[in-house]
Amino acid sequence: MSNLLKDASILLTPTGYDNGSMNAIKPTNGDGDFTFVRGSAATRVNAQGLVEEVTDTNLPRINYEGFSYDGNGDIIPNSGCGSWLLERQSTNLFVRSNGLTSSGFWPRNSSLIATVNATISPDGTLNAARFVNAGGGNRLGQEVALTSGLTYAFSFYMKNNGGNASLETAFDGQSASQSYTITNDWVRYEFTFTATSTETSQIRLFNGESDIDLFAFGTQLENQSYATSYIPTEGATSTRNQDIATDSGNATLINSIEGTLYAEMSALVKENGQKILSISDGTSSNTVKLGIAGNNAGLKFFADIRVGGVTQAFLNENFGDVAPTFKKCAIKYKENDFALWVDGVEVATDTSGSTFSANTLNVLKFTRGDAGQNFFGKNKALAVYKEALTDVELQCLTTP
């Protein structure tokens, strides 16, 4: 972490939190803390690499990834890197996400032998199911009502136990199926498809393969284009509400005339829309925005400064068709001096534009300023500076 972060007037990292707040490192009096609202339970991957349910409905999530593995292929606890996880609302359409041995919810062929609680699952408890059959025609699925033209994301955890590794999902009655290969380690597999007819379809983890011996856990079907964090269900569908983080800072901590907004952040996937962090007056008319925009073809990082609803500078860097990854970004704003830096490089500038009257900007949010265009993604650091940093400082701050 750059030593420049200690000079920020507001500094948030994935460390302290309480139910209803994401706690800033600076200032220490609570003026930089974010109000956090979700209003539902959720899950995360914790520091031990386990899927963990966060039952406090307004408790922020620090999600871990990038773990190291030992010689047996097992996660080394506390070897991952944590970041704030903020997701949009989503519903698991499967009414029982992990009762895979219950034929009432998960019909299967009669020769497929199911064993409940057969091994330790990705949540660290003995609740993963085993399925075995040397013969052919093996299938396992749950029936869900689908709507023609809508896109669905299907996900589940699976690992091989010495059986056939080449499997195929199937969406009964829909013109879609996808092949995949399982390994001897737990992996979350994700598939998307667009329904071609409106009907009740059986969504199958595997469909017709022979020589099955595998473990499965944690299924999910969502009406959107990508899989989000696991949403457990027990007899009915369940919804995880969106994560909302707002109301950090005040006019004393944020300089309206000049300053710098910094974030280390990543999108969750390539998708249409903008994910924005901002300092503002609580509206989208007076705001310094730093965000990620994109579609299925690519991602761009951008900054947008608006005074009285009029754009003073719009700066962006297009990274093209790449997988989402963490970038260190900063926007410097000062009258006739605007610059966007990404990963140690000044990628765009504007030398014409005004800033704000003193004490205009007074709040830092994971939105565009008002309640629109929430930031849905991952964040490792967020900082506000009361001065426009120099090029040398910006290069140091944003270099990976």
Side-chain angles (χ1 to χ4, degrees), residues 234-258:
E234 290 288 344
T237 63
S238 181
T239 298
R240 181 201 60 247
N241 294 333
Q242 65 179 345
D243 299 292
I244 303 172
T246 59
D247 299 337
S248 166
N250 54 44
T252 301
L253 297 170
I254 302 169
N255 187 351
S256 299
I257 297 171
E258 67 168 89

Side-chain angles (χ1 to χ4, degrees), residues 48-317:
Q48 286 70 49
L50 301 175
V51 176
E52 175 184 66
E53 187 165 14
V54 178
T55 55
D56 288 340
T57 58
N58 291 319
L59 192 67
R61 290 177 291 167
I62 299 176
N63 194 70
Y64 291 82
E65 58 188 328
F67 292 95
S68 299
Y69 294 82
D70 63 20
N72 296 320
D74 296 324
I75 288 175
I76 299 174
N78 301 307
S79 64
C81 186
S83 62
W84 298 112
L85 174 62
L86 298 105
E87 295 182 291
R88 66 176 72 254
Q89 178 176 303
S90 191
T91 298
N92 189 351
L93 300 175
F94 286 142
V95 295
R96 180 160 294 183
S97 62
N98 197 44
L100 298 174
T101 59
S102 173
S103 59
F105 289 95
W106 288 92
R108 61 183 185 271
N109 55 297
S110 59
S111 57
L112 183 63
I113 299 171
T115 304
V116 68
N117 300 336
T119 193
I120 302 297
S121 79
D123 73 5
T125 62
L126 185 66
N127 63 354
R130 182 186 180 190
F131 297 94
V132 181
N133 182 29
N138 295 298
R139 60 190 182 278
L140 175 70
Q142 185 172 140
E143 293 187 344
V144 178
L146 304 180
T147 301
S148 180
L150 295 186
T151 297
Y152 296 87
F154 176 37
S155 60
F156 52 86
Y157 293 86
M158 189 175 285
K159 75 172 182 176
N160 205 358
N161 191 44
N164 182 7
S166 299
L167 304 177
E168 182 179 84
T169 64
F171 316 108
D172 191 35
Q174 310 294 325
S175 57
S177 63
Q178 298 181 43
S179 300
Y180 63 104
T181 301
I182 58 175
T183 71
N184 294 329
D185 299 315
W186 281 114
V187 175
R188 193 185 192 199
Y189 297 90
E190 304 176 7
F191 308 93
T192 59
F193 67 96
T194 300
T196 55
S197 62
T198 298
E199 62 179 307
T200 297
S201 298
Q202 190 175 91
I203 311 301
R204 295 175 179 168
L205 279 72
F206 46 86
N207 183 49
E209 287 84 2
S210 60
D211 189 23
I212 292 292
D213 189 349
L214 56 81
F215 300 109
F217 166 82
T219 62
Q220 189 154 297
L221 184 70
E222 302 168 81
N223 177 203
Q224 62 171 30
S225 61
Y226 63 94
T228 66
S229 60
Y230 177 48
I231 305 170
T233 63
E234 290 288 344
T237 63
S238 181
T239 298
R240 181 201 60 247
N241 294 333
Q242 65 179 345
D243 299 292
I244 303 172
T246 59
D247 299 337
S248 166
N250 54 44
T252 301
L253 297 170
I254 302 169
N255 187 351
S256 299
I257 297 171
E258 67 168 89
T260 303
L261 175 62
Y262 165 81
E264 184 177 0
M265 58 185 177
S266 172
L268 298 172
V269 295
K270 294 180 291 184
E271 63 169 341
N272 291 329
Q274 297 180 341
K275 301 90 182 166
I276 298 174
L277 314 163
S278 71
I279 46 179
S280 72
D281 64 351
T283 74
S284 59
S285 297
N286 293 302
T287 181
V288 177
K289 298 188 290 187
L290 186 60
I292 306 170
N295 51 43
N296 292 334
L299 293 169
K300 73 169 76 171
F301 286 73
F302 73 93
D304 184 9
I305 295 86
R306 296 188 182 185
V307 178
V310 178
T311 297
Q312 302 299 310
F314 183 86
L315 311 172
N316 70 92
E317 174 69 3

